[in-house]
Amino acid sequence: MYEHDVIVVGAGGAGLRAAVAADEAGADVALVSKLHPVRSHTGAAEGGINAALQEGDDWELHAYDTMKGSDYLGDAPAVETLAQDAPEDTIKLEHWGMPFSREEDGRVSQRPFGGLSYPRTTYAGAETGHHLLHVMYEQVVKRGIQVYDEWYVMDLAVSDEDDPNERDCHGIVAYDVQTGNIEGFKANDGVVLATGGPGQAFDHTTNAVSCTGDGHAMAYRAGAPLEDMEFIQFHPTSLPSTGVLISEGVRGEGGILYNNDGERFMFEHGYANNSGELASRDVVARAELTEVQEGRGVEDEYVHLDMRHLGEERILDRLENILHLAEDFEGVDGLIEPMPVKPGQHYAMGGIEVDENGQTCIDGLYAAGECACVSVHGGNRLGGNALPELIVFGKRAGYHAAGKDLGEPEIRTGYGDDVEDETDTELPVQPGAAGLGTTDDVAADGGERTDGSRSSSEARSDGGVVADADGVLEQTVEDARGHVDSLMDKDTGVQHAEIRQKLQNAMTDYVNVFRTEEGVKKALTLIRECREEYQDVYVDDPSTTFNTDLQQTIETRNLIDVAETIALGALVRNEFRGAHWRQENQTRDDENWLKHTLISWEDGEPNIFYRPVILEGEEKTYEPKVRSY
Amino acid sequence: MSTQQPEQPESQEAPKDPEMRGAESAVDEKEKEDGEIDQTTADKSELEGETVLIKVFRYDPEVEGKQEPRFDDFHVPFEKGMTVLDAVMYARDHYDSSLTFRHSCRQAVCGSDAFFVNGKQRLGCKTQMADLEHPVRIEPLPHQEVVKDLVVDMDHFYDQMHTVEPYFQNEETPDSSDLEEQRQTRENREKVKMSTRCIWCGACASSCNIAAGDNEYLGPAAINKAYRFAMDNREPEDVKEHRLRIIEQEHGVWRCQTQFSCTEVCPKDIPLTEHIQELKREAVKKNLKFW
Ligand SMILES: Cc1cc2nc3c(=O)[nH]c(=O)nc-3n(C[C@H](O)[C@H](O)[C@H](O)COP(=O)(O)OP(=O)(O)OC[C@H]3O[C@@H](n4cnc5c(N)ncnc54)[C@H](O)[C@@H]3O)c2cc1C
Ligand code: SF4
Ligand code: FES
């Protein structure tokens, strides 16, 4: 067993920042990550990081833009915290050596991005995330923070009180990818989940193969609700063949979108008469697909993004990386031809429900970065707002987990008296656990909560023993070993790759940019099938050395849980808000839907409830307005 | 998409010693193309609808049938735009789920899928199948211990990166609560720009003969990392000197014999050899001061 004060799971921007903060607050901290830190997906971020740095700009404008961009589903206390902390935290990156692009006077450059009223996106060429990731890792090395890399975290060790709000998180269980050893990691003060997005739930995504929603699924099964999962951002400019992203920076610098008739459709077809290409992402993604659906797409699939007119010098200065991506992955020279682009799954606005301090309703369990929902992005994230979220809320979660006082949060978490229960949405299938029969079934089940609860409750009925931290952890380790053994022991059945592909196709076909009630129900039915097939999953590779077959099999189980919450959210929210477009209900319904969708895992099935959005900020209330660009 | 009927991979023995394996292929390749760019046997349109053959190195110390290193053949249906990574993923997902390799971003930024493809270090995700001579031979990076199949032990590489103290060491930064950044000229940023692009893929170190013969040699990536800081104007002179002392040590820059192999394979086009040379010059300049 390993033991530390604070254990951070995941070493992308959010995890690294959390670890540095916890270290600064005096904690003994460890990072546990399935990838070596510099391989994390934050490295793929291109466009930049929003912070009100210049005179003429201020945090209030940033907060306002973010609330508007969120389609009024952001919580004002979180949004204001983001806008207030981002400038100092961005400058801190600069002090740590981040090679931001520079102006003539040596100051950091900023550029315009979609949905921003001021050019406040600070950037390092078109590879901002790469630099952020490396700079943060350098700080971790500098501080000598312990890193367990290529350790796959399987589960959280959480006590089993009936009410999740009373549960405690005591640590994690992980296995060493290189050797197959399964070990417990005890966290004396707290566990911070920073496991990134769940993009692999979709077939066409800009996300890395490692983005499998592990943290989401672990927290969910431990009892922390997932919030606003239906809000998935589809980025308007991904390359059609691979999903590789072409940064919004291209449009920020003046890139133009054309349809097959050579029309600048954002204006000519009236999608965004003021902002055109720089309208927010949901607006542009819908516009592109509408063009394709109405027969004005190129090869019936995509549209063109043209940056040739910006001139070679400017492109090389600010967007050089884009030239490489277009060339390497689509065989297109962006200097002499337009680039093909179409919408691709890009970002999850929703995630593990946390407050401004990064804390979930489970004591000692924190989440930060893309796996968390604090909620700053609401229905739609503005470009350049995820990276500041990583550093602002990663820092806060790290501090708080290490015991630093950050004041009382205004955002509430977990099931409580301020929530509204779901009543009457008809579901096509029974979501949640499939077959809880034999031990083998339980271990390979798509939805069992394996956090020590089974045996500690058994212990309780036997003799009233409440498991202590060590007991909970040991039990979780034992469960995890049993789980792995049962997967490895089976030698026939279905392989995860088949289930994963089916799941990805279901989500891409039915829970994409445009959604219908019928389609989402179809998706839920297919997800149910995946869950049932998963009962029969087996791992073919017998090795304990670097068994990626085993790892992907466990990831696939997580994807099933996460995909189900996305589809459930998309079904119950029968309105149109931000990135969530419903064919039957094409208006935003503020009267009924200024609230967050929350889904928690209770007794083997999802429970849906709602919590009102907080629109009151420090000084003012953000009144919902029509979102026009 | 449904799973296709798995094809039985055809196996051939590979040299047992992982070191030998790399060396042997490197020789093959040298004879074939002598450093020239790859010849293309088929252009994209010719391959359309075809099946391409990849020969993949297999080894697992733990599984009886795989302890003897070998090559497995996989016939993969070609699709336009298919990369080497796509091909091995296809083979894994459809024919043999135990086929093991690192990968993540699919866009040349995470650095995890550097392989030895047709005798050259390349990123799998950045290498188009159509641009290679067929059949395509895929092996783990030479000069590194093979953990399993295409996965090599990167610990030594990381240790070398850490040796150069890869973090900013300017303690006297302006007060960040005043939102005051350090000024850096555009020229200076431009100067360090290429060096900051390293993704730690390890291709350069794997291609370097000197690194292969001298385990303590810092190697091109670590020296480039030192360059990234030493040339950044934001760090003060005394820190720069400290850095030069690190790279100037016995197993530092002077070991480099300007063979350019690192520069040739770097997927981020970092002029590594040039950076090493420049540091040599800096080191000489500094030393002159003390004479
Ligand atoms: C192509 C692309 C471009 C983007 N560009 C921008 C931009 O310009 N500006 C912006 O603001 N945002 C951008 N975003 C969004 C932003 O980059 C991401 O939201 C953010 O980087 C996520 O960071 P993270 O730290 O939460 O997670 P990640 O960086 O994904 O890190 C997740 C970490 O968790 C680890 N992990 C996961 N599961 C486990 C497990 N089970 N056990 C152990 N470890 C685990 C991984 O190893 C990894 O270290 C972009 C996103 C993409 C995909
Ligand atoms: S210098 Fe180039 S080849 Fe070497 S590790 Fe960095 S990116 Fe890879
Ligand atoms: S998969 Fe990330 S560099 Fe190739």
Side-chain angles (χ1 to χ4, degrees), chain A residues 37-49:
Chain A
V38 302
R39 316 268 180 245
S40 300
H41 197 51
T42 294
E46 295 165 14
I49 174 168

Side-chain angles (χ1 to χ4, degrees), chain A residues 574-586:
Chain A
N574 56 8
E575 65 153 355
F576 165 27
R577 183 180 302 271
H580 175 63
W581 183 100
R582 275 279 297 262
Q583 180 162 26
E584 302 84 0
N585 313 76
Q586 292 185 34

Side-chain angles (χ1 to χ4, degrees), chain A residues 165 225 353 412-422 595-596 598 607-612:
Chain A
N165 294 22
E353 185 202 38
R412 296 186 58 183
T413 54
Y415 191 92
D417 51 18
D418 59 334
V419 307
E420 181 191 318
D421 276 299
E422 160 64 6
K595 60 190 183 192
H596 300 292
L598 293 158
N607 175 35
I608 302 171
F609 56 97
Y610 306 100
R611 171 174 273 116

Side-chain angles (χ1 to χ4, degrees), chain B residues 85 103-113 123 125 199:
Chain B
L85 178 64
H103 68 302
S104 186
C105 70
R106 299 139 41 247
Q107 56 180 88
V109 74
C110 77
S112 44
D113 66 338
L123 287 184
C125 63
I199 55 175

Side-chain angles (χ1 to χ4, degrees), chain A residues 308-378:
Chain A
R308 292 173 292 183
H309 56 284
L310 301 178
E312 186 167 346
E313 196 186 331
R314 178 127 161 236
I315 294 175
L316 283 177
D317 182 38
R318 297 169 172 225
L319 299 165
E320 185 189 335
N321 186 40
I322 300 304
L323 288 178
H324 299 310
L325 294 175
E327 172 68 42
D328 292 342
F329 299 103
E330 206 73 42
V332 164
D333 182 348
L335 288 176
I336 57 175
E337 44 192 333
M339 300 173 282
V341 291
K342 75 174 201 183
Q345 190 284 344
H346 181 60
Y347 185 86
M349 268 75 73
I352 304 161
E353 185 202 38
V354 292
D355 64 27
E356 308 95 290
N357 301 333
Q359 197 164 18
T360 69
C361 69
I362 296 172
D363 206 39
L365 182 63
Y366 296 78
E370 191 171 336
C371 71
C373 178
V374 43
S375 106
V376 284
H377 310 302

Side-chain angles (χ1 to χ4, degrees), chain A residues 88 95 133 150 157 254 259 285 325 385 400 467 506 509 512 540 563 597:
Chain A
E88 187 177 332
H95 288 180
L133 181 69
E150 297 191 332
N259 63 19
L325 294 175
N385 257 356
H400 200 270
D509 290 348
N512 214 307
D540 199 35
T597 322

Side-chain angles (χ1 to χ4, degrees), chain A residues 174-438:
Chain A
Y175 83 82
D176 181 348
V177 178
Q178 299 237 9
T179 65
N181 282 344
I182 296 175
E183 299 289 347
F185 288 70
K186 186 172 166 191
N188 295 322
D189 294 338
V191 170
V192 182
L193 292 173
T195 50
Q200 287 296 322
F202 292 80
D203 185 48
H204 187 79
T205 175
T206 65
N207 283 196
V209 179
S210 58
C211 297
T212 50
D214 296 341
H216 292 78
M218 288 189 278
Y220 176 53
R221 290 196 298 268
L226 298 185
E227 177 175 353
D228 293 335
M229 292 300 286
E230 62 273 30
F231 292 98
I232 296 286
Q233 178 160 79
F234 295 88
H235 196 293
T237 58
S238 73
L239 295 175
S241 59
T242 48
V244 165
L245 182 80
I246 296 301
S247 164
E248 184 163 312
V250 174
R251 282 171 293 137
E253 298 292 344
I256 296 176
L257 290 166
Y258 291 110
N259 63 19
N260 202 17
D261 300 335
E263 294 167 313
R264 192 174 178 183
F265 58 88
M266 288 309 296
F267 291 104
E268 290 187 38
H269 291 272
Y271 297 105
N273 289 328
N274 296 319
S275 313
E277 285 82 6
L278 277 178
S280 77
R281 290 177 176 177
D282 54 333
V283 176
V284 183
R286 281 192 295 274
E288 290 176 358
L289 282 186
T290 306
E291 289 299 297
V292 172
Q293 281 174 0
E294 293 182 356
R296 294 187 295 274
V298 186
E299 292 185 5
D300 281 334
E301 196 197 349
Y302 53 86
V303 296
H304 274 141
L305 173 62
D306 198 349
M307 63 174 182
R308 292 173 292 183
H309 56 284
L310 301 178
E312 186 167 346
E313 196 186 331
R314 178 127 161 236
I315 294 175
L316 283 177
D317 182 38
R318 297 169 172 225
L319 299 165
E320 185 189 335
N321 186 40
I322 300 304
L323 288 178
H324 299 310
L325 294 175
E327 172 68 42
D328 292 342
F329 299 103
E330 206 73 42
V332 164
D333 182 348
L335 288 176
I336 57 175
E337 44 192 333
M339 300 173 282
V341 291
K342 75 174 201 183
Q345 190 284 344
H346 181 60
Y347 185 86
M349 268 75 73
I352 304 161
E353 185 202 38
V354 292
D355 64 27
E356 308 95 290
N357 301 333
Q359 197 164 18
T360 69
C361 69
I362 296 172
D363 206 39
L365 182 63
Y366 296 78
E370 191 171 336
C371 71
C373 178
V374 43
S375 106
V376 284
H377 310 302
N380 170 64
R381 172 174 74 88
L382 295 180
N385 257 356
L387 296 182
E389 183 195 4
L390 305 183
I391 54 171
V392 167
F393 292 101
K395 170 197 72 180
R396 293 177 73 88
Y399 276 152
H400 200 270
K404 195 164 164 164
D405 184 10
L406 296 177
E408 267 304 298
E410 283 172 57
I411 295 172
R412 296 186 58 183
T413 54
Y415 191 92
D417 51 18
D418 59 334
V419 307
E420 181 191 318
D421 276 299
E422 160 64 6
T423 41
D424 54 1
T425 305
E426 191 199 321
L427 301 179
V429 281
Q430 166 68 32
L436 290 164
T438 67

